[in-house]
Amino acid sequence: MINIFRRYKNIIFFVCLTASIVTVPFSIRINSICIILLVVCWLLKDSIKEKISYIGNPLFFLFISFYIAHLTGMFYTFNIQHGIFELEKKLSLLIFPVILGTTPKIKYEDVRKILNCFVASCIVVSAFCLIYAFYRTLSSNSFYSFNPQTQYTTYYFFYDGLSDIFIHPVYFSAYIVFSFFIVLKNLVDNWTRLTQKNVFKSILLCYMVIFLLLLSSRIMIIIFSVLTLSYILYLFFKQGKKWIGISVSMFVALALISSVMSVPYIHKRISELYTSSYIFKNNPETNLNLSGKMDAVEMRMANWYFTIQAGKNTWLFGTGTGD
């Protein structure tokens, strides 16, 4: 068994690495199993001396320092159990930099394969989300469910109602945006004429934009819009076609705005950015009955307020990893 591993260790390591990245949009448990297999493979792949010799990128120390800061916070945290949970949740921030920083540089072709697999994974997960949303709608004969205790309405085709079987909609939106630009870059680099592959990639891009809007993450929609318009301007300005680039970017901007305005739920979430009071007053007598009375922006203001209050006496080192 050991001899077989030594013979195919690079292939096995690549498979484990790909699986660890591909399963990111899926459940944490599946992804954790793949990461464990990757760690075992990494430990057996090269000697410690060889691993150390591969370290040459200063970013290696920058990435792992973030996790070390969390680890240091365990020495003065009060909630040990939650601190351990936070360390487990952020373990990938240590594992991936250490593993990638102590292995030979991955070839460009292999990186492209991993990225393509990640895109495929996001598409599969998004398809499962849509299928499950259809199932919930048909089984309940309704597009939403209402929780009387929290006064919260879950819409099956939007935001957390769409992605709650896998991951938080903001994280998933980030993965969709990343996948979008992987496909877009591939399309731009290989565009010579209208082929079936290019048509398929174009359809895929449209699908990802629609799904991103359904996820309704405000910050990711804004980031996506800025990045897309900037990329369009960059492409056309690079070719000396300034006015065409400005025209195309304006058309895309209008299309995005029209899409947001035409869907009531998305419009409501975006409009909260300029209709919210952006005010939170700490009143212990009424704070216990705020459920359903605050919009998402005001709720974040409340979170920031209490975060500042909690950190006033521990502004230098923080409150601890688990607090």
Side-chain angles (χ1 to χ4, degrees), residues 63-110:
F63 283 123
I64 65 172
S65 63
F66 182 73
Y67 191 83
I68 291 173
H70 281 75
L71 199 61
T72 305
M74 289 296 294
F75 288 100
Y76 52 89
T77 188
F78 289 99
N79 194 333
I80 301 294
Q81 187 175 357
H82 187 70
I84 293 172
F85 171 74
E86 287 295 322
L87 289 178
E88 289 177 355
K89 193 167 68 173
K90 294 178 173 64
L91 194 59
S92 59
L93 296 174
L94 173 69
I95 290 175
F96 282 111
V98 169
I99 290 177
L100 295 176
T102 56
T103 53
K105 189 176 180 180
I106 303 173
K107 297 178 182 178
Y108 174 77
E109 283 298 318
D110 291 337

mmCIF file of all heavy atoms in Angstrom, residues 63-110:
data_model
loop_
_atom_site.group_PDB
_atom_site.id
_atom_site.type_symbol
_atom_site.label_atom_id
_atom_site.label_comp_id
_atom_site.label_asym_id
_atom_site.label_seq_id
_atom_site.Cartn_x
_atom_site.Cartn_y
_atom_site.Cartn_z
ATOM 1 N N PHE A 63 -0.524 34.656 5.820
ATOM 2 C CA PHE A 63 -1.771 33.897 5.891
ATOM 3 C C PHE A 63 -1.899 33.135 7.212
ATOM 4 O O PHE A 63 -2.955 33.143 7.843
ATOM 5 C CB PHE A 63 -1.873 32.925 4.717
ATOM 6 C CG PHE A 63 -2.256 33.597 3.429
ATOM 7 C CD1 PHE A 63 -1.445 33.491 2.306
ATOM 8 C CD2 PHE A 63 -3.415 34.336 3.331
ATOM 9 C CE1 PHE A 63 -1.788 34.117 1.116
ATOM 10 C CE2 PHE A 63 -3.775 34.960 2.147
ATOM 11 C CZ PHE A 63 -2.958 34.849 1.032
ATOM 12 N N ILE A 64 -0.822 32.464 7.637
ATOM 13 C CA ILE A 64 -0.915 31.654 8.859
ATOM 14 C C ILE A 64 -0.945 32.538 10.109
ATOM 15 O O ILE A 64 -1.400 32.089 11.162
ATOM 16 C CB ILE A 64 0.233 30.624 8.966
ATOM 17 C CG1 ILE A 64 1.594 31.328 9.120
ATOM 18 C CG2 ILE A 64 0.228 29.676 7.788
ATOM 19 C CD1 ILE A 64 2.719 30.356 9.422
ATOM 20 N N SER A 65 -0.475 33.786 10.009
ATOM 21 C CA SER A 65 -0.477 34.671 11.176
ATOM 22 C C SER A 65 -1.902 34.982 11.631
ATOM 23 O O SER A 65 -2.153 35.205 12.821
ATOM 24 C CB SER A 65 0.264 35.973 10.853
ATOM 25 O OG SER A 65 -0.395 36.688 9.823
ATOM 26 N N PHE A 66 -2.859 34.998 10.689
ATOM 27 C CA PHE A 66 -4.256 35.248 11.032
ATOM 28 C C PHE A 66 -4.786 34.149 11.944
ATOM 29 O O PHE A 66 -5.473 34.424 12.934
ATOM 30 C CB PHE A 66 -5.098 35.332 9.755
ATOM 31 C CG PHE A 66 -6.553 35.632 10.009
ATOM 32 C CD1 PHE A 66 -6.946 36.904 10.401
ATOM 33 C CD2 PHE A 66 -7.516 34.651 9.854
ATOM 34 C CE1 PHE A 66 -8.287 37.189 10.647
ATOM 35 C CE2 PHE A 66 -8.852 34.921 10.096
ATOM 36 C CZ PHE A 66 -9.239 36.203 10.494
ATOM 37 N N TYR A 67 -4.442 32.899 11.631
ATOM 38 C CA TYR A 67 -4.899 31.785 12.463
ATOM 39 C C TYR A 67 -4.145 31.761 13.797
ATOM 40 O O TYR A 67 -4.730 31.442 14.832
ATOM 41 C CB TYR A 67 -4.696 30.452 11.734
ATOM 42 C CG TYR A 67 -5.392 29.293 12.420
ATOM 43 C CD1 TYR A 67 -6.746 29.053 12.195
ATOM 44 C CD2 TYR A 67 -4.703 28.459 13.291
ATOM 45 C CE1 TYR A 67 -7.395 28.007 12.818
ATOM 46 C CE2 TYR A 67 -5.350 27.413 13.924
ATOM 47 C CZ TYR A 67 -6.692 27.190 13.684
ATOM 48 O OH TYR A 67 -7.339 26.161 14.321
ATOM 49 N N ILE A 68 -2.886 32.103 13.769
ATOM 50 C CA ILE A 68 -2.090 32.145 15.003
ATOM 51 C C ILE A 68 -2.677 33.178 15.970
ATOM 52 O O ILE A 68 -2.682 32.977 17.190
ATOM 53 C CB ILE A 68 -0.615 32.466 14.685
ATOM 54 C CG1 ILE A 68 0.022 31.281 13.938
ATOM 55 C CG2 ILE A 68 0.174 32.766 15.956
ATOM 56 C CD1 ILE A 68 1.425 31.549 13.430
ATOM 57 N N ALA A 69 -3.194 34.282 15.428
ATOM 58 C CA ALA A 69 -3.838 35.305 16.267
ATOM 59 C C ALA A 69 -5.057 34.720 16.977
ATOM 60 O O ALA A 69 -5.295 34.989 18.163
ATOM 61 C CB ALA A 69 -4.240 36.500 15.412
ATOM 62 N N HIS A 70 -5.846 33.911 16.254
ATOM 63 C CA HIS A 70 -7.000 33.242 16.869
ATOM 64 C C HIS A 70 -6.548 32.236 17.925
ATOM 65 O O HIS A 70 -7.176 32.096 18.971
ATOM 66 C CB HIS A 70 -7.834 32.532 15.793
ATOM 67 C CG HIS A 70 -8.732 33.450 15.035
ATOM 68 N ND1 HIS A 70 -8.271 34.317 14.077
ATOM 69 C CD2 HIS A 70 -10.070 33.650 15.111
ATOM 70 C CE1 HIS A 70 -9.293 35.000 13.573
ATOM 71 N NE2 HIS A 70 -10.386 34.615 14.185
ATOM 72 N N LEU A 71 -5.462 31.550 17.629
ATOM 73 C CA LEU A 71 -4.928 30.563 18.570
ATOM 74 C C LEU A 71 -4.440 31.250 19.848
ATOM 75 O O LEU A 71 -4.655 30.740 20.959
ATOM 76 C CB LEU A 71 -3.781 29.795 17.905
ATOM 77 C CG LEU A 71 -3.384 28.444 18.510
ATOM 78 C CD1 LEU A 71 -4.541 27.463 18.459
ATOM 79 C CD2 LEU A 71 -2.187 27.873 17.752
ATOM 80 N N THR A 72 -3.811 32.391 19.696
ATOM 81 C CA THR A 72 -3.325 33.163 20.847
ATOM 82 C C THR A 72 -4.490 33.625 21.719
ATOM 83 O O THR A 72 -4.387 33.662 22.951
ATOM 84 C CB THR A 72 -2.516 34.387 20.368
ATOM 85 O OG1 THR A 72 -1.473 33.956 19.500
ATOM 86 C CG2 THR A 72 -1.928 35.147 21.545
ATOM 87 N N GLY A 73 -5.614 33.957 21.074
ATOM 88 C CA GLY A 73 -6.792 34.414 21.808
ATOM 89 C C GLY A 73 -7.378 33.370 22.726
ATOM 90 O O GLY A 73 -8.158 33.705 23.636
ATOM 91 N N MET A 74 -7.029 32.116 22.542
ATOM 92 C CA MET A 74 -7.525 31.040 23.404
ATOM 93 C C MET A 74 -6.916 31.111 24.805
ATOM 94 O O MET A 74 -7.480 30.559 25.753
ATOM 95 C CB MET A 74 -7.217 29.677 22.772
ATOM 96 C CG MET A 74 -8.033 29.349 21.549
ATOM 97 S SD MET A 74 -9.804 29.207 21.904
ATOM 98 C CE MET A 74 -9.819 27.746 22.950
ATOM 99 N N PHE A 75 -5.786 31.782 24.968
ATOM 100 C CA PHE A 75 -5.121 31.862 26.272
ATOM 101 C C PHE A 75 -5.864 32.776 27.248
ATOM 102 O O PHE A 75 -5.687 32.650 28.456
ATOM 103 C CB PHE A 75 -3.673 32.345 26.103
ATOM 104 C CG PHE A 75 -2.759 31.326 25.493
ATOM 105 C CD1 PHE A 75 -2.427 31.397 24.147
ATOM 106 C CD2 PHE A 75 -2.251 30.280 26.245
ATOM 107 C CE1 PHE A 75 -1.590 30.456 23.569
ATOM 108 C CE2 PHE A 75 -1.422 29.330 25.677
ATOM 109 C CZ PHE A 75 -1.089 29.417 24.333
ATOM 110 N N TYR A 76 -6.699 33.700 26.725
ATOM 111 C CA TYR A 76 -7.393 34.603 27.633
ATOM 112 C C TYR A 76 -8.899 34.681 27.343
ATOM 113 O O TYR A 76 -9.574 35.627 27.755
ATOM 114 C CB TYR A 76 -6.783 36.014 27.577
ATOM 115 C CG TYR A 76 -6.649 36.606 26.195
ATOM 116 C CD1 TYR A 76 -7.690 37.344 25.635
ATOM 117 C CD2 TYR A 76 -5.491 36.445 25.442
ATOM 118 C CE1 TYR A 76 -7.583 37.903 24.383
ATOM 119 C CE2 TYR A 76 -5.362 37.000 24.180
ATOM 120 C CZ TYR A 76 -6.402 37.728 23.655
ATOM 121 O OH TYR A 76 -6.291 38.270 22.400
ATOM 122 N N THR A 77 -9.425 33.688 26.639
ATOM 123 C CA THR A 77 -10.857 33.656 26.391
ATOM 124 C C THR A 77 -11.596 33.027 27.569
ATOM 125 O O THR A 77 -11.045 32.187 28.291
ATOM 126 C CB THR A 77 -11.166 32.867 25.099
ATOM 127 O OG1 THR A 77 -12.556 33.007 24.796
ATOM 128 C CG2 THR A 77 -10.849 31.382 25.268
ATOM 129 N N PHE A 78 -12.840 33.426 27.779
ATOM 130 C CA PHE A 78 -13.653 32.862 28.854
ATOM 131 C C PHE A 78 -14.458 31.661 28.357
ATOM 132 O O PHE A 78 -14.651 30.695 29.068
ATOM 133 C CB PHE A 78 -14.611 33.932 29.418
ATOM 134 C CG PHE A 78 -13.916 34.990 30.220
ATOM 135 C CD1 PHE A 78 -13.600 36.211 29.649
ATOM 136 C CD2 PHE A 78 -13.570 34.765 31.549
ATOM 137 C CE1 PHE A 78 -12.956 37.198 30.391
ATOM 138 C CE2 PHE A 78 -12.924 35.739 32.299
ATOM 139 C CZ PHE A 78 -12.617 36.960 31.714
ATOM 140 N N ASN A 79 -14.925 31.743 27.110
ATOM 141 C CA ASN A 79 -15.750 30.673 26.545
ATOM 142 C C ASN A 79 -14.848 29.722 25.743
ATOM 143 O O ASN A 79 -14.673 29.877 24.535
ATOM 144 C CB ASN A 79 -16.844 31.268 25.650
ATOM 145 C CG ASN A 79 -17.924 30.265 25.310
ATOM 146 O OD1 ASN A 79 -17.687 29.069 25.293
ATOM 147 N ND2 ASN A 79 -19.112 30.772 25.038
ATOM 148 N N ILE A 80 -14.274 28.752 26.441
ATOM 149 C CA ILE A 80 -13.334 27.819 25.817
ATOM 150 C C ILE A 80 -14.014 26.985 24.743
ATOM 151 O O ILE A 80 -13.471 26.787 23.650
ATOM 152 C CB ILE A 80 -12.701 26.888 26.869
ATOM 153 C CG1 ILE A 80 -11.950 27.707 27.938
ATOM 154 C CG2 ILE A 80 -11.763 25.885 26.208
ATOM 155 C CD1 ILE A 80 -10.749 28.423 27.412
ATOM 156 N N GLN A 81 -15.221 26.512 25.029
ATOM 157 C CA GLN A 81 -15.929 25.630 24.101
ATOM 158 C C GLN A 81 -16.218 26.323 22.772
ATOM 159 O O GLN A 81 -15.980 25.761 21.703
ATOM 160 C CB GLN A 81 -17.243 25.148 24.733
ATOM 161 C CG GLN A 81 -17.971 24.094 23.903
ATOM 162 C CD GLN A 81 -19.196 23.552 24.608
ATOM 163 O OE1 GLN A 81 -19.484 23.925 25.748
ATOM 164 N NE2 GLN A 81 -19.930 22.679 23.947
ATOM 165 N N HIS A 82 -16.694 27.561 22.848
ATOM 166 C CA HIS A 82 -16.964 28.304 21.607
ATOM 167 C C HIS A 82 -15.661 28.673 20.900
ATOM 168 O O HIS A 82 -15.612 28.741 19.672
ATOM 169 C CB HIS A 82 -17.770 29.568 21.910
ATOM 170 C CG HIS A 82 -18.224 30.294 20.683
ATOM 171 N ND1 HIS A 82 -19.200 29.790 19.853
ATOM 172 C CD2 HIS A 82 -17.810 31.459 20.126
ATOM 173 C CE1 HIS A 82 -19.385 30.629 18.843
ATOM 174 N NE2 HIS A 82 -18.550 31.646 18.981
ATOM 175 N N GLY A 83 -14.614 28.894 21.683
ATOM 176 C CA GLY A 83 -13.309 29.193 21.099
ATOM 177 C C GLY A 83 -12.781 28.030 20.276
ATOM 178 O O GLY A 83 -12.246 28.220 19.170
ATOM 179 N N ILE A 84 -12.951 26.822 20.806
ATOM 180 C CA ILE A 84 -12.541 25.609 20.075
ATOM 181 C C ILE A 84 -13.346 25.477 18.791
ATOM 182 O O ILE A 84 -12.818 25.123 17.734
ATOM 183 C CB ILE A 84 -12.709 24.359 20.955
ATOM 184 C CG1 ILE A 84 -11.718 24.407 22.124
ATOM 185 C CG2 ILE A 84 -12.495 23.079 20.139
ATOM 186 C CD1 ILE A 84 -11.932 23.325 23.154
ATOM 187 N N PHE A 85 -14.648 25.793 18.885
ATOM 188 C CA PHE A 85 -15.509 25.745 17.692
ATOM 189 C C PHE A 85 -15.028 26.732 16.634
ATOM 190 O O PHE A 85 -14.990 26.411 15.439
ATOM 191 C CB PHE A 85 -16.958 26.053 18.087
ATOM 192 C CG PHE A 85 -17.888 26.230 16.915
ATOM 193 C CD1 PHE A 85 -18.304 25.133 16.173
ATOM 194 C CD2 PHE A 85 -18.336 27.499 16.548
ATOM 195 C CE1 PHE A 85 -19.155 25.288 15.087
ATOM 196 C CE2 PHE A 85 -19.182 27.665 15.471
ATOM 197 C CZ PHE A 85 -19.587 26.554 14.741
ATOM 198 N N GLU A 86 -14.647 27.943 17.060
ATOM 199 C CA GLU A 86 -14.143 28.959 16.123
ATOM 200 C C GLU A 86 -12.839 28.505 15.474
ATOM 201 O O GLU A 86 -12.612 28.742 14.287
ATOM 202 C CB GLU A 86 -13.931 30.289 16.860
ATOM 203 C CG GLU A 86 -15.211 31.015 17.213
ATOM 204 C CD GLU A 86 -15.979 31.470 15.991
ATOM 205 O OE1 GLU A 86 -15.337 31.898 15.017
ATOM 206 O OE2 GLU A 86 -17.218 31.381 16.003
ATOM 207 N N LEU A 87 -11.972 27.862 16.238
ATOM 208 C CA LEU A 87 -10.712 27.363 15.695
ATOM 209 C C LEU A 87 -10.961 26.268 14.661
ATOM 210 O O LEU A 87 -10.304 26.217 13.622
ATOM 211 C CB LEU A 87 -9.816 26.827 16.819
ATOM 212 C CG LEU A 87 -9.193 27.864 17.754
ATOM 213 C CD1 LEU A 87 -8.387 27.168 18.843
ATOM 214 C CD2 LEU A 87 -8.295 28.841 16.981
ATOM 215 N N GLU A 88 -11.920 25.392 14.939
ATOM 216 C CA GLU A 88 -12.268 24.319 13.994
ATOM 217 C C GLU A 88 -12.842 24.915 12.715
ATOM 218 O O GLU A 88 -12.528 24.477 11.611
ATOM 219 C CB GLU A 88 -13.284 23.368 14.632
ATOM 220 C CG GLU A 88 -12.700 22.502 15.743
ATOM 221 C CD GLU A 88 -13.757 21.626 16.384
ATOM 222 O OE1 GLU A 88 -14.951 21.763 16.025
ATOM 223 O OE2 GLU A 88 -13.398 20.805 17.246
ATOM 224 N N LYS A 89 -13.699 25.937 12.866
ATOM 225 C CA LYS A 89 -14.361 26.560 11.707
ATOM 226 C C LYS A 89 -13.360 27.265 10.795
ATOM 227 O O LYS A 89 -13.531 27.304 9.580
ATOM 228 C CB LYS A 89 -15.417 27.542 12.211
ATOM 229 C CG LYS A 89 -16.387 28.019 11.156
ATOM 230 C CD LYS A 89 -17.581 28.716 11.782
ATOM 231 C CE LYS A 89 -17.179 30.017 12.424
ATOM 232 N NZ LYS A 89 -18.359 30.790 12.904
ATOM 233 N N LYS A 90 -12.290 27.795 11.386
ATOM 234 C CA LYS A 90 -11.296 28.552 10.619
ATOM 235 C C LYS A 90 -10.030 27.748 10.355
ATOM 236 O O LYS A 90 -9.008 28.307 9.957
ATOM 237 C CB LYS A 90 -10.939 29.842 11.365
ATOM 238 C CG LYS A 90 -12.093 30.831 11.464
ATOM 239 C CD LYS A 90 -11.687 32.060 12.245
ATOM 240 C CE LYS A 90 -12.781 33.127 12.190
ATOM 241 N NZ LYS A 90 -14.022 32.706 12.826
ATOM 242 N N LEU A 91 -10.106 26.442 10.563
ATOM 243 C CA LEU A 91 -8.922 25.598 10.412
ATOM 244 C C LEU A 91 -8.358 25.631 8.999
ATOM 245 O O LEU A 91 -7.144 25.517 8.794
ATOM 246 C CB LEU A 91 -9.259 24.152 10.809
ATOM 247 C CG LEU A 91 -8.068 23.200 11.020
ATOM 248 C CD1 LEU A 91 -7.142 23.732 12.109
ATOM 249 C CD2 LEU A 91 -8.553 21.803 11.371
ATOM 250 N N SER A 92 -9.215 25.807 8.008
ATOM 251 C CA SER A 92 -8.756 25.846 6.610
ATOM 252 C C SER A 92 -7.835 27.036 6.356
ATOM 253 O O SER A 92 -7.009 27.004 5.437
ATOM 254 C CB SER A 92 -9.952 25.900 5.661
ATOM 255 O OG SER A 92 -10.747 27.040 5.924
ATOM 256 N N LEU A 93 -7.972 28.098 7.180
ATOM 257 C CA LEU A 93 -7.098 29.268 7.030
ATOM 258 C C LEU A 93 -5.658 28.955 7.411
ATOM 259 O O LEU A 93 -4.734 29.667 7.028
ATOM 260 C CB LEU A 93 -7.612 30.423 7.904
ATOM 261 C CG LEU A 93 -8.994 30.983 7.543
ATOM 262 C CD1 LEU A 93 -9.434 32.005 8.571
ATOM 263 C CD2 LEU A 93 -8.982 31.590 6.148
ATOM 264 N N LEU A 94 -5.487 27.871 8.173
ATOM 265 C CA LEU A 94 -4.134 27.413 8.525
ATOM 266 C C LEU A 94 -3.673 26.292 7.609
ATOM 267 O O LEU A 94 -2.538 26.298 7.112
ATOM 268 C CB LEU A 94 -4.110 26.935 9.979
ATOM 269 C CG LEU A 94 -2.802 26.278 10.449
ATOM 270 C CD1 LEU A 94 -1.689 27.311 10.535
ATOM 271 C CD2 LEU A 94 -3.002 25.607 11.803
ATOM 272 N N ILE A 95 -4.581 25.344 7.359
ATOM 273 C CA ILE A 95 -4.211 24.134 6.613
ATOM 274 C C ILE A 95 -3.796 24.442 5.180
ATOM 275 O O ILE A 95 -2.734 23.999 4.726
ATOM 276 C CB ILE A 95 -5.378 23.123 6.635
ATOM 277 C CG1 ILE A 95 -5.538 22.555 8.051
ATOM 278 C CG2 ILE A 95 -5.128 21.988 5.644
ATOM 279 C CD1 ILE A 95 -6.721 21.641 8.218
ATOM 280 N N PHE A 96 -4.614 25.193 4.454
ATOM 281 C CA PHE A 96 -4.315 25.451 3.042
ATOM 282 C C PHE A 96 -3.023 26.243 2.841
ATOM 283 O O PHE A 96 -2.211 25.877 1.981
ATOM 284 C CB PHE A 96 -5.494 26.150 2.359
ATOM 285 C CG PHE A 96 -6.626 25.216 2.013
ATOM 286 C CD1 PHE A 96 -7.847 25.290 2.666
ATOM 287 C CD2 PHE A 96 -6.467 24.237 1.050
ATOM 288 C CE1 PHE A 96 -8.881 24.426 2.359
ATOM 289 C CE2 PHE A 96 -7.496 23.363 0.724
ATOM 290 C CZ PHE A 96 -8.703 23.456 1.385
ATOM 291 N N PRO A 97 -2.784 27.339 3.601
ATOM 292 C CA PRO A 97 -1.499 28.033 3.431
ATOM 293 C C PRO A 97 -0.297 27.160 3.759
ATOM 294 O O PRO A 97 0.728 27.210 3.061
ATOM 295 C CB PRO A 97 -1.599 29.208 4.415
ATOM 296 C CG PRO A 97 -3.051 29.443 4.565
ATOM 297 C CD PRO A 97 -3.682 28.086 4.498
ATOM 298 N N VAL A 98 -0.408 26.333 4.817
ATOM 299 C CA VAL A 98 0.710 25.467 5.209
ATOM 300 C C VAL A 98 0.972 24.413 4.145
ATOM 301 O O VAL A 98 2.112 24.184 3.730
ATOM 302 C CB VAL A 98 0.442 24.805 6.576
ATOM 303 C CG1 VAL A 98 1.467 23.702 6.852
ATOM 304 C CG2 VAL A 98 0.497 25.834 7.684
ATOM 305 N N ILE A 99 -0.092 23.770 3.678
ATOM 306 C CA ILE A 99 0.059 22.704 2.684
ATOM 307 C C ILE A 99 0.569 23.254 1.355
ATOM 308 O O ILE A 99 1.533 22.732 0.774
ATOM 309 C CB ILE A 99 -1.275 21.951 2.487
ATOM 310 C CG1 ILE A 99 -1.598 21.121 3.733
ATOM 311 C CG2 ILE A 99 -1.213 21.046 1.253
ATOM 312 C CD1 ILE A 99 -2.924 20.411 3.674
ATOM 313 N N LEU A 100 -0.058 24.326 0.870
ATOM 314 C CA LEU A 100 0.348 24.894 -0.420
ATOM 315 C C LEU A 100 1.710 25.586 -0.333
ATOM 316 O O LEU A 100 2.435 25.659 -1.326
ATOM 317 C CB LEU A 100 -0.707 25.877 -0.911
ATOM 318 C CG LEU A 100 -2.082 25.275 -1.241
ATOM 319 C CD1 LEU A 100 -3.074 26.353 -1.625
ATOM 320 C CD2 LEU A 100 -1.968 24.235 -2.356
ATOM 321 N N GLY A 101 2.044 26.081 0.856
ATOM 322 C CA GLY A 101 3.326 26.753 1.017
ATOM 323 C C GLY A 101 4.501 25.816 1.198
ATOM 324 O O GLY A 101 5.659 26.240 1.083
ATOM 325 N N THR A 102 4.222 24.547 1.475
ATOM 326 C CA THR A 102 5.298 23.567 1.693
ATOM 327 C C THR A 102 5.278 22.446 0.661
ATOM 328 O O THR A 102 5.745 21.342 0.925
ATOM 329 C CB THR A 102 5.193 22.961 3.112
ATOM 330 O OG1 THR A 102 3.881 22.387 3.279
ATOM 331 C CG2 THR A 102 5.407 24.010 4.176
ATOM 332 N N THR A 103 4.694 22.727 -0.491
ATOM 333 C CA THR A 103 4.696 21.771 -1.604
ATOM 334 C C THR A 103 5.203 22.481 -2.861
ATOM 335 O O THR A 103 5.154 23.713 -2.940
ATOM 336 C CB THR A 103 3.281 21.230 -1.886
ATOM 337 O OG1 THR A 103 2.377 22.326 -2.067
ATOM 338 C CG2 THR A 103 2.787 20.346 -0.749
ATOM 339 N N PRO A 104 5.689 21.728 -3.836
ATOM 340 C CA PRO A 104 6.152 22.361 -5.088
ATOM 341 C C PRO A 104 5.041 23.168 -5.743
ATOM 342 O O PRO A 104 3.859 22.863 -5.587
ATOM 343 C CB PRO A 104 6.551 21.159 -5.959
ATOM 344 C CG PRO A 104 6.835 20.062 -4.997
ATOM 345 C CD PRO A 104 5.891 20.266 -3.846
ATOM 346 N N LYS A 105 5.411 24.198 -6.472
ATOM 347 C CA LYS A 105 4.442 25.065 -7.121
ATOM 348 C C LYS A 105 3.575 24.277 -8.097
ATOM 349 O O LYS A 105 4.072 23.492 -8.896
ATOM 350 C CB LYS A 105 5.172 26.182 -7.872
ATOM 351 C CG LYS A 105 4.246 27.260 -8.407
ATOM 352 C CD LYS A 105 5.034 28.386 -9.059
ATOM 353 C CE LYS A 105 4.107 29.466 -9.592
ATOM 354 N NZ LYS A 105 4.858 30.573 -10.230
ATOM 355 N N ILE A 106 2.271 24.483 -7.984
ATOM 356 C CA ILE A 106 1.322 23.758 -8.835
ATOM 357 C C ILE A 106 1.354 24.337 -10.244
ATOM 358 O O ILE A 106 1.376 25.562 -10.432
ATOM 359 C CB ILE A 106 -0.101 23.847 -8.262
ATOM 360 C CG1 ILE A 106 -0.117 23.296 -6.828
ATOM 361 C CG2 ILE A 106 -1.093 23.080 -9.121
ATOM 362 C CD1 ILE A 106 -1.443 23.488 -6.128
ATOM 363 N N LYS A 107 1.348 23.463 -11.237
ATOM 364 C CA LYS A 107 1.383 23.894 -12.635
ATOM 365 C C LYS A 107 0.114 24.657 -12.998
ATOM 366 O O LYS A 107 -0.956 24.431 -12.439
ATOM 367 C CB LYS A 107 1.538 22.679 -13.553
ATOM 368 C CG LYS A 107 2.842 21.915 -13.369
ATOM 369 C CD LYS A 107 2.872 20.701 -14.280
ATOM 370 C CE LYS A 107 4.146 19.890 -14.086
ATOM 371 N NZ LYS A 107 4.163 18.670 -14.935
ATOM 372 N N TYR A 108 0.266 25.554 -13.980
ATOM 373 C CA TYR A 108 -0.861 26.376 -14.412
ATOM 374 C C TYR A 108 -2.025 25.516 -14.909
ATOM 375 O O TYR A 108 -3.193 25.812 -14.618
ATOM 376 C CB TYR A 108 -0.417 27.331 -15.523
ATOM 377 C CG TYR A 108 -1.553 28.125 -16.127
ATOM 378 C CD1 TYR A 108 -2.100 29.212 -15.456
ATOM 379 C CD2 TYR A 108 -2.085 27.774 -17.375
ATOM 380 C CE1 TYR A 108 -3.147 29.939 -15.997
ATOM 381 C CE2 TYR A 108 -3.133 28.488 -17.921
ATOM 382 C CZ TYR A 108 -3.660 29.567 -17.233
ATOM 383 O OH TYR A 108 -4.708 30.268 -17.770
ATOM 384 N N GLU A 109 -1.724 24.480 -15.653
ATOM 385 C CA GLU A 109 -2.769 23.589 -16.182
ATOM 386 C C GLU A 109 -3.533 22.926 -15.052
ATOM 387 O O GLU A 109 -4.764 22.771 -15.130
ATOM 388 C CB GLU A 109 -2.146 22.534 -17.101
ATOM 389 C CG GLU A 109 -1.780 23.042 -18.481
ATOM 390 C CD GLU A 109 -2.992 23.530 -19.256
ATOM 391 O OE1 GLU A 109 -4.037 22.856 -19.203
ATOM 392 O OE2 GLU A 109 -2.897 24.583 -19.897
ATOM 393 N N ASP A 110 -2.824 22.528 -14.000
ATOM 394 C CA ASP A 110 -3.481 21.891 -12.849
ATOM 395 C C ASP A 110 -4.353 22.891 -12.100
ATOM 396 O O ASP A 110 -5.445 22.547 -11.635
ATOM 397 C CB ASP A 110 -2.433 21.290 -11.912
ATOM 398 C CG ASP A 110 -1.733 20.083 -12.523
ATOM 399 O OD1 ASP A 110 -2.324 19.453 -13.425
ATOM 400 O OD2 ASP A 110 -0.596 19.773 -12.107
#
